[in-house]
């Protein structure tokens, strides 16, 4: 999940939204290539980056986020979700972001040939639900991007990605 501000942001802004965004943005991510698409591009005090990733995953020399949680190989649904459930509200309270950019990577799946975590498709769905419900509770707009997915079981990747849209639809309708 990421939160980012860019001066070229030109999408409709919700009523009562502060613009330009003065507070930190929050960028939690679930990428296999930890930090490449976010932390290295946001070395600025206006953006807060957060990453949960396998500690021994590629790249071996990782970009540093503002908050990194390096997880042991094989981390399962319960452990992953317990950590995220605990830390996400704390980060939102501490940094009070204006916008969330969420990278819903599925390379956290146990079936992924490159990832080193062991989430199930259902665990990915619970992660998405947790992120979107938390952001909704804090009235934070969210931009979600699909990412990752190197499982030889293409149906696992597709199920994980399509359930993200179903979850979002249920929360925001």
């Amino acid at each position: 999940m990421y939160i980012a501000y860019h001066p070229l942001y030109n999408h409709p802004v919700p009523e009562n939204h502060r613009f330009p965004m003065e507070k930190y943005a929050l960028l939690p991510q679930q990428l296999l290539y930890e930090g490449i698409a976010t932390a290295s591009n946001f070395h600025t005090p206006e953006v807060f980056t957060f990453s949960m990733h396998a500690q021994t995953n590629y790249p071996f020399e990782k970009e540093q986020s503002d908050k990194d949680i390096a997880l042991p190989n094989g981390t399962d649904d319960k452990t992953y979700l317990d950590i995220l459930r605990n830390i996400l509200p704390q980060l939102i309270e501490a940094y009070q972001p204006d916008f969330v950019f969420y990278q819903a990577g599925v390379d956290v799946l146990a079936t992924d040939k490159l990832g080193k975590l062991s989430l199930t498709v259902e665990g990915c769905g619970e992660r998405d639900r947790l992120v979107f419900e938390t952001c909704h509770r804090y009235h934070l707009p969210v931009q979600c991007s699909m990412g990752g997915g190197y499982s030889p079981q293409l149906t696992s990747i597709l199920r994980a990605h399509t359930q993200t849209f179903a979850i979002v639809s249920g929360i925001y309708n």
Side-chain angles (χ1 to χ4, degrees), residues 31-166:
L31 284 173
L32 167 70
Y33 299 109
E34 179 277 333
I36 291 175
T38 57
S40 65
N41 296 323
F42 290 108
H43 289 290
T44 173
E46 291 82 23
V47 177
F48 182 89
T49 57
F50 165 49
S51 177
M52 286 179 62
H53 53 270
Q55 65 190 36
T56 62
N57 233 5
Y58 176 87
F60 302 112
E61 290 185 30
K62 296 177 177 27
E63 289 290 333
Q64 185 142 10
S65 298
D66 294 297
K67 176 68 174 173
D68 283 303
I69 299 177
L71 301 168
N73 290 356
T75 295
D76 63 6
D77 292 348
K78 181 179 179 346
T79 303
Y80 186 99
L81 294 169
D82 285 349
I83 293 168
L84 185 60
R85 188 175 295 112
N86 182 48
I87 194 71
L88 187 57
Q90 289 178 26
L91 293 174
I92 290 172
E93 290 284 334
Y95 295 98
Q96 299 183 359
D98 294 295
F99 182 81
V100 174
F101 183 95
Y102 174 45
Q103 175 66 34
V106 298
D107 33 28
V108 296
L109 289 170
T111 60
D112 194 276
K113 65 183 179 182
L114 299 178
K116 301 206 180 213
L117 301 180
S118 294
L119 273 65
T120 63
V121 171
E122 295 76 20
C124 279
E126 286 307 307
R127 174 203 64 190
D128 294 345
R129 182 178 316 286
L130 173 62
V131 168
F132 288 111
E133 285 179 348
T134 302
C135 290
H136 192 287
R137 187 170 60 248
Y138 285 93
H139 307 287
L140 291 170
V142 180
Q143 185 280 328
C144 178
S145 294
M146 302 293 116
Y150 308 97
S151 174
Q153 299 174 12
L154 184 58
T155 55
S156 295
I157 297 169
L158 296 173
R159 284 181 50 223
H161 281 316
T162 56
Q163 79 180 349
T164 302
F165 291 103

